[in-house]
Amino acid sequence: MATLKNGQFIGSLDCGTTSVRFIIFDQHADIIAQHQLEFPQYYLHPGWHEHDADEIQQHADKCVEETMKTLESEGWSKDSVKAIGITNQRETTVAWSRKTGKPLCRAIVWTDSRTKNTVAHYEHKLQTEGIQVSPGVWKNGKDGVEALRRITGLPLSTYFSAIKLRWMIDNYPEVTKAHDSDDLLFGTVESWVAYNLLGGVEKGVHIGEVTNASRTLLLNMTTLKWEPSLLEFFGLRNSILPKLVSTSEVYGNVAYGPLKGVPIGGLVGDQQAALIGNKCLSEGEAKCTYGTGAFLLFCTGDEIVKSTHGLLSTVAYQAGPNAKPVYALEGSIAVAGSAIKWLRDTMHIIDTAAEINILAAKERDSGGVYFVTAFSGLLAPYWDPGAAGLLIGVSQYTNPAHIARATLEANAYQTRAVIESMKLDSGNDLKHLKVDGGMTNGDLAMSVLADIGGFDVVRPEMRESTALGAALCAGAAVKLFDWDLTDPASLSQVNTKGTRVFTPDLAETDREQRWQNWQKAVERSKGWDEGVDA
């Protein structure tokens, strides 16, 4: 048998919402080996979405095993992997036992909305009792809402982890018992996967990373410490919380399997990982990941920018245990790729998602048609749960190509709306938008985005930006390839192959006229289902 070569590679374990993948990168971000597996989704009742945390771990282990086999079959030794990073679906909440190391119930996924009543309870508590902002000083009502936003960067919502955890304690006797008897460990997915890889119950390494912690409603974003007043507010024990760690440091070595002995050097939430993977490390740089929905993160540097225009403030990354945190503004768009799926699966206008670009290219414009894709209300920056989907400007001239084009334009208008809010909040103009995700495969979709946004759109050839972000964190932690998150120039050779820039080609007067029309269309879609106070 031929001797295996020893290379220098970084592994990335990407634990998403529906699948896990393990990817091995070289120093230029070329993929050397990879394996991906989907894991089960559980929907027990309307609005419920659960994962089995053990299944996530089993799928992660299997992906590692298969990727390492591929690596060796390509002629490289296992020792070529010098460190690994982990990135994960954020906000998904795991509760497990300190004594057994086993989950106490299924994980509640970030999309789950069963906790509406829990949110209503804490909204009432915030209005009446409020939160203690310093010894003996309480803020309630409007001041309480403002204080919570100032401490965490977040509003009360079903989205965030503390609310999900509270629901578990209130509704699952085994979680209640574990909390009361000090046997409960709480974590988001990176915390759970790291716990297992670093030795499980035997070693008891219970850590949580700051970008994920900034999505729990329990982290003080300024001090990067757990906030005692919020633990008190939600009635949670301090001992259930993981020890906070930075985004890029060596947390320990993998305890078993083909990666045994390899350091884990990066932990980071998926949207922040994509920001790092797109190398948006400096103030004023932004990326948007276009999947089912779209997530736009705008780096604000070492300043927490408080949004007054419907965005969230979040931790972007912390480049090491003693590094200053870098912050970002985040805007979430509910419908991106799912509008194309609707055209394909429900309306049967196209047979494959890729076909939308071919159909839309048959017309130069949308023929005056605007499509507000408010399938379940509108998120950032409009925040109108009662908004309804709207096709307006339809005439006898309208054909399927116009509707296809209006769908691509809807994505671009919503992106621009979030970016306009980011400019107002941060006072920074956007240099260019870096993109990744399935929808970015279409050249026409990207040209439309550049035209309507009025900015350059930068699309790399290798678009596994989330996995790459975790790899960059791990590489920097073990000082491989001289990567340094605090020095963007050190990453100048990473993922440069085949990068394409789409530049605006539309006259400014046309762009502004269409933007005005889009805003009129949004206004008409708002408040359709105003809801009834039962």
Side-chain angles (χ1 to χ4, degrees), residues 476-497:
V478 296
K479 306 206 167 17
L480 197 64
F481 313 132
D482 293 323
W483 288 349
D484 182 352
L485 298 185
T486 63
D487 175 17
S490 72
L491 308 175
S492 62
Q493 299 307 304
V494 174
N495 204 19
T496 54
K497 194 193 286 178

Side-chain angles (χ1 to χ4, degrees), residues 65-195:
E65 204 179 298
E66 293 301 322
T67 307
M68 295 302 276
K69 273 186 201 162
T70 306
L71 182 72
E72 290 195 309
S73 72
E74 298 284 337
W76 298 101
S77 85
K78 283 194 303 196
D79 298 342
S80 301
V81 180
K82 302 303 179 190
I84 68 160
I86 300 167
T87 181
N88 60 293
Q89 46 160 323
R90 304 172 306 171
E91 297 97 17
T92 295
T93 304
V94 188
W96 68 100
S97 159
R98 193 189 305 275
K99 284 202 286 279
T100 68
K102 288 286 167 199
L104 293 159
C105 59
R106 284 210 189 117
I108 300 182
V109 182
W110 61 276
T111 52
D112 186 288
S113 59
R114 77 183 70 176
T115 53
K116 284 175 184 165
N117 292 344
T118 311
V119 171
H121 170 77
Y122 284 101
E123 281 174 340
H124 178 72
K125 188 174 177 180
L126 200 54
Q127 290 299 319
T128 51
E129 289 174 41
I131 50 177
Q132 189 170 203
V133 291
S134 56
V137 180
W138 294 76
K139 298 268 184 186
N140 62 4
K142 214 172 170 184
D143 291 344
V145 173
E146 185 48 48
L148 181 72
R149 201 76 190 248
R150 197 183 63 250
I151 296 165
T152 64
L154 309 173
L156 280 173
S157 162
T158 59
Y159 194 11
F160 304 115
S161 312
I163 296 283
K164 299 176 193 297
L165 175 63
R166 190 63 251 178
W167 190 94
M168 287 174 171
I169 294 169
D170 293 340
N171 290 276
Y172 290 139
E174 53 276 47
V175 183
T176 317
K177 190 179 166 199
H179 185 253
D180 292 348
S181 66
D182 206 15
D183 183 40
L184 176 64
L185 296 179
F186 149 74
T188 38
V189 170
E190 93 296 349
S191 181
W192 165 248
V193 173
Y195 173 84

Side-chain angles (χ1 to χ4, degrees), residues 220-495:
N220 184 317
M221 277 227 303
T222 312
T223 62
L224 289 199
K225 291 194 169 108
W226 297 118
E227 178 58 43
S229 63
L230 292 175
L231 288 173
E232 189 184 337
F233 179 71
F234 289 113
L236 300 171
R237 279 173 175 268
N238 186 56
S239 61
I240 69 175
L241 299 173
K243 176 187 170 223
L244 288 165
V245 293
S246 75
T247 315
S248 175
E249 61 178 279
V250 174
Y251 316 102
N253 297 340
V254 178
Y256 63 90
L259 289 173
K260 188 172 182 180
V262 174
I264 301 176
L267 296 174
V268 60
D270 56 6
Q271 298 308 323
Q272 284 91 338
L275 189 77
I276 296 164
N278 277 300
K279 300 187 287 186
C280 297
L281 302 171
S282 309
E283 190 179 338
E285 292 186 316
K287 72 90 200 176
C288 195
T289 301
Y290 293 98
T292 303
F295 292 89
L296 208 151
L297 265 73
F298 182 99
C299 186
T300 59
D302 57 11
E303 184 191 353
I304 300 173
V305 174
K306 181 178 153 263
S307 179
T308 51
H309 298 89
L311 306 175
L312 302 176
S313 309
T314 197
V315 177
Y317 61 92
Q318 186 191 15
N322 302 313
K324 268 187 166 172
V326 172
Y327 296 97
L329 282 169
E330 178 172 328
S332 308
I333 298 164
V335 174
S338 52
I340 297 169
K341 197 167 178 252
W342 178 73
L343 289 187
R344 183 192 69 191
D345 299 346
T346 309
M347 302 307 289
H348 305 293
I349 288 176
I350 50 176
D351 292 323
T352 66
E355 229 175 88
I356 191 167
N357 291 277
I358 300 161
L359 180 58
K362 290 181 178 173
E363 294 289 352
R364 287 179 57 81
D365 55 44
S366 65
V369 173
Y370 290 81
F371 185 8
V372 183
T373 52
F375 292 169
S376 51
L378 288 167
L379 295 184
Y382 307 109
W383 299 107
D384 183 354
L390 179 76
L391 264 172
I392 197 163
V394 178
S395 67
Q396 285 177 313
Y397 171 68
T398 305
N399 65 37
H402 290 129
I403 291 171
R405 201 165 183 110
T407 306
L408 296 181
E409 289 183 354
N411 187 56
Y413 287 124
Q414 290 193 85
T415 302
R416 174 164 172 179
V418 170
I419 285 169
E420 296 287 333
S421 292
M422 287 181 170
K423 285 181 191 173
L424 290 168
D425 281 334
S426 70
N428 265 315
D429 215 345
L430 187 75
K431 302 179 181 112
H432 47 250
L433 182 66
K434 294 184 177 179
V435 296
D436 60 274
M439 221 180 147
T440 63
N441 295 335
D443 289 359
L444 182 65
M446 296 301 94
S447 296
V448 165
L449 180 57
D451 277 346
I452 284 168
F455 44 71
D456 287 354
V457 174
V458 181
R459 182 187 72 185
E461 187 180 284
M462 198 293 295
R463 293 192 276 285
E464 295 286 2
S465 305
T466 302
L468 178 57
L472 292 176
C473 293
V478 296
K479 306 206 167 17
L480 197 64
F481 313 132
D482 293 323
W483 288 349
D484 182 352
L485 298 185
T486 63
D487 175 17
S490 72
L491 308 175
S492 62
Q493 299 307 304
V494 174
N495 204 19

Side-chain angles (χ1 to χ4, degrees), residues 37-57:
L37 289 170
E38 291 197 358
F39 56 84
Q41 311 290 312
Y42 300 96
Y43 305 99
L44 299 187
H45 304 285
W48 289 38
H49 186 184
E50 297 181 346
H51 289 156
D52 180 323
D54 272 337
E55 286 175 347
I56 292 176
Q57 189 62 49

